[in-house]
Amino acid sequence: HDALPISEADALYQKSFDAFKKAIELKPDDAGYYNNYALALAKDKKLEDAKQNLDKAAQLDPSGAGKYFYNMGALLVNSGQNDAAGDQFKKAITADPTYADAQYQYGVFLASKATTDASGKIIVPPGTVEALQKYLELKPDGPMAASAKDLITQLGGTVSTTFTNPSAPKKKK
């Protein structure tokens, strides 16, 4: 389909922003409204406003904070702000260490900061392989498992193979 002319798009964004503001006014303690408003703001490239709303969602719903910080990280990656995204992925795993996708994205971010020494040995930032291993521990059959294993190997680490699928049926003794 054809893209809307800028003025029509702006009008639609403004209409949706007004709706989110009204919803938040009616239910100021609903973290979901702040999250969704932030995602809409980000689509309109209002990243600072988006970040403030995701922070508010995390304050209101600490158990969902990992998801909110992860969302912000993803938005920042999509807009080419990788360092800021890395900070958000770090916040996501601090808030929820079992958030597998955040572990993976943080590991990928750290891997992007790898350097080599004079002999050509890869030097990875501390926590890189650990984040990727944690993803594999949490989601051994996850959609990013193969790339996590490949990345660990490329970085000179060894893939731990002691993981078991947490949803696999228990073996009878």
Side-chain angles (χ1 to χ4, degrees), residues 3 23 63 94:
S63 67
T94 300

Side-chain angles (χ1 to χ4, degrees), residues 55-88:
D55 284 344
K56 181 68 175 174
Q59 287 170 10
L60 290 170
D61 176 19
S63 67
K67 174 179 67 178
Y68 305 129
F69 294 134
Y70 177 85
N71 286 347
M72 191 66 218
L75 293 170
L76 289 163
V77 164
N78 292 340
S79 68
Q81 298 182 45
N82 292 343
D83 288 344
D87 292 342
Q88 293 299 313

Side-chain angles (χ1 to χ4, degrees), residues 93-105:
I93 64 174
T94 300
D96 180 1
T98 64
Y99 197 145
D101 292 355
Q103 291 282 358
Y104 174 80
Q105 292 297 340

